[in-house]
Amino acid sequence: MLLSYHLDATHLVVELGEVVDLDNEAAIEREIVRLLPCCGPRAIIVDLHTPLLTPRALGLLLRVRGQAEERGVSMAVVAGYDKAREVLSAAGLHRVLRVAPTLPGAELRNRGCRPEREASRNGKSGDRRSAPPAAGAAQRPLGPHADTSRPRFPGER
């Protein structure tokens, strides 16, 4: 039912191309858990090929992550669609599920690397590799919970 392949000796990729709902949730979870390696690759990457993430999909990803951790397997998620990343971020699962927009990014996340900020990928100002902001420019607060007090609207960063 799910397409899976080995990215390299340590990463197993499972592609999830359908919307998770009541009818297919249990079957998808069983299939992913069956693919979890007991020996061999030590990391799994779930590649989401759909922009629509239902609450059932979020629950499934969390349960699979828990079962992977019990087996000593790390897990990352590729969310190539902006809407999927926004849903994961709004649900507070972006860090927990090690979400990345690309497969190479998810591979790095599984290795423990921090995600590259969107601004640095687009070459916009404000990232660590750009020039410092001009004097008098508003600086964003730093820290893991700095953005929690600002209102959050889908599609706006």
Side-chain angles (χ1 to χ4, degrees):
M1 178 159 69
L2 299 175
L3 177 64
S4 65
Y5 58 91
H6 289 276
L7 185 62
D8 55 32
T10 59
H11 291 89
L12 174 70
V13 178
V14 178
E15 293 184 356
L16 180 58
E18 56 188 290
V19 175
V20 178
D21 58 20
L22 180 63
D23 295 332
N24 63 8
E25 178 182 18
I28 291 172
E29 183 174 350
R30 275 193 308 271
E31 183 70 13
I32 295 175
V33 169
R34 184 187 67 78
L35 292 170
L36 284 176
C38 60
C39 51
R42 303 308 300 162
I44 186 169
I45 298 173
V46 177
D47 193 354
L48 302 174
H49 285 257
T50 178
L52 180 60
L53 289 181
T54 63
R56 292 192 175 276
L58 300 178
L60 175 133
L61 290 171
L62 286 172
R63 288 190 304 274
V64 167
R65 178 187 172 268
Q67 293 199 22
E69 279 187 348
E70 287 175 6
R71 298 176 188 207
V73 176
S74 66
M75 181 178 138
V77 173
V78 175
Y81 291 96
D82 289 338
K83 291 295 178 194
R85 285 193 305 276
E86 288 173 10
V87 168
L88 290 163
S89 182
L93 299 177
H94 201 267
R95 289 184 181 145
V96 172
L97 293 175
R98 297 181 181 138
V99 178
T102 63
L103 198 53
E107 182 183 2
L108 289 173
R109 293 288 305 210
N110 260 337
R111 291 182 185 168
C113 298
R114 296 190 67 189
E116 186 176 10
R117 290 181 50 194
E118 189 123 358
S120 65
R121 285 196 308 271
N122 296 336
K124 296 179 184 172
S125 65
D127 67 345
R128 286 181 266 151
R129 290 179 264 175
S130 66
Q139 292 217 1
R140 293 180 61 174
L142 300 175
H145 304 291
D147 290 337
T148 57
S149 63
R150 295 187 343 192
R152 180 81 185 195
F153 299 100
E156 294 182 15
R157 299 219 180 250

